């Protein structure tokens, strides 16, 4: 598929649907898929899953140099009591920009533990400049159903965050170039 064909496919898919993620079928044919899920982040308390492991070495209110890790729930709905756990968002972040906005570099894996993508992963990399708006990061790889995945991931808060937690809506679109599936 040429770059222009891929772009047209992406535009048509985005214009017509908001519900899945791309993959390659068993015959090795490339296919686009769109994934729609919710990332549940706990920021405080005994069950906090976003943790700073190295504070900024600079004095004052600087964030530059801060490093942390995340292990967030991926669910099929925004309400944790009425949705199923489909996986985890596990990764690291670092405030890597010395200017304003500081820019938080993130590298995460979406590790699927249930549903049709069970035992598959997606690797996501990018900088978050602000949490006030949706943010986009690159899909740079994957395993299982998403081997060699590429594309993008758009994430946005779906409810007003509290000091303890926030829920994000995650929409991903990626394309895989896998030519053979190994079992």
């Amino acid at each position: 598929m040429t770059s222009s064909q891929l772009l047209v496919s992406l535009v048509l898919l985005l214009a017509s649907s908001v519900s899945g993620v791309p993959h390659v079928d068993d015959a090795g044919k490339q296919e686009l898929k769109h994934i729609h899920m919710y990332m549940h982040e706990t920021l405080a308390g005994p069950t906090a899953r976003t943790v700073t492991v190295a504070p900024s070495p600079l004095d004052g209110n600087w964030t530059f140099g801060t490093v942390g890790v995340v292990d967030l729930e991926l669910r099929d709905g925004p309400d944790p009591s009425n949705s199923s756990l489909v996986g985890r968002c596990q990764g690291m972040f670092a405030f890597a920009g010395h200017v304003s906005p500081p820019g938080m570099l993130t590298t995460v894996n979406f590790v699927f533990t249930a549903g049709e993508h069970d035992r598959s992963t997606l690797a996501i990399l990018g900088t978050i400049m602000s949490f006030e708006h949706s943010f986009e990061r690159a899909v740079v790889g994957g395993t299982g159903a998403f081997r060699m995945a590429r594309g993008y991931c758009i994430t946005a808060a779906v409810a007003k965050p509290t000091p303890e937690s926030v829920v994000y809506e995650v929409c991903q679109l990626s394309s895989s170039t896998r030519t053979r599936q190994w079992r």
Side-chain angles (χ1 to χ4, degrees):
M1 181 178 276
T2 67
S3 296
S4 60
Q5 289 172 320
L6 183 59
L7 180 59
V8 169
S9 297
L10 290 173
V11 169
L12 291 174
L13 184 63
L14 287 173
S16 64
S17 145
V18 179
S19 63
V21 162
H23 99 24
V24 174
D25 68 12
D26 290 336
K29 292 167 69 177
Q30 182 171 311
E31 190 178 302
L32 291 177
K33 221 175 183 189
H34 180 82
I35 292 179
H36 188 209
M37 61 193 153
Y38 295 84
M39 186 167 57
H40 294 255
E41 181 173 21
T42 304
L43 302 166
T47 60
R49 296 296 179 253
T50 299
V51 180
T52 298
V53 294
S56 174
L58 304 176
D59 293 331
N61 292 328
W62 287 91
T63 56
F64 179 70
T66 300
V67 177
V69 294
V70 297
D71 182 12
L72 314 177
E73 292 182 345
L74 294 175
R75 295 186 162 275
D76 61 5
D79 182 356
S81 62
N82 293 326
S83 61
S84 297
L85 185 67
V86 296
R88 310 293 297 183
C89 171
Q90 299 170 330
M92 301 180 295
F93 62 88
F95 285 91
H98 200 276
V99 296
S100 184
M104 183 172 74
L105 174 64
T106 65
T107 176
V108 296
N109 282 319
F110 287 175
V111 180
F112 296 94
T113 58
E116 71 176 292
H117 306 299
D118 185 22
R119 299 180 53 180
S120 296
T121 66
L122 279 168
I124 297 161
L125 175 70
T127 298
I128 300 171
M129 299 302 285
S130 169
F131 287 97
E132 294 178 18
H133 306 285
S134 63
F135 48 91
E136 182 175 336
R137 294 174 289 176
V139 173
V140 296
T143 64
F146 306 114
R147 188 175 298 145
M148 301 295 293
R150 64 185 188 279
Y152 61 91
C153 171
I154 297 174
T155 307
V158 294
K160 186 173 174 98
T162 69
E164 294 82 30
S165 66
V166 63
V167 176
Y168 295 98
E169 182 176 27
V170 180
C171 296
Q172 286 180 261
L173 184 62
S174 62
S175 168
S176 178
T177 59
R178 185 178 67 185
T179 57
R180 184 168 182 184
Q181 184 169 355
W182 297 90
R183 299 247 183 228

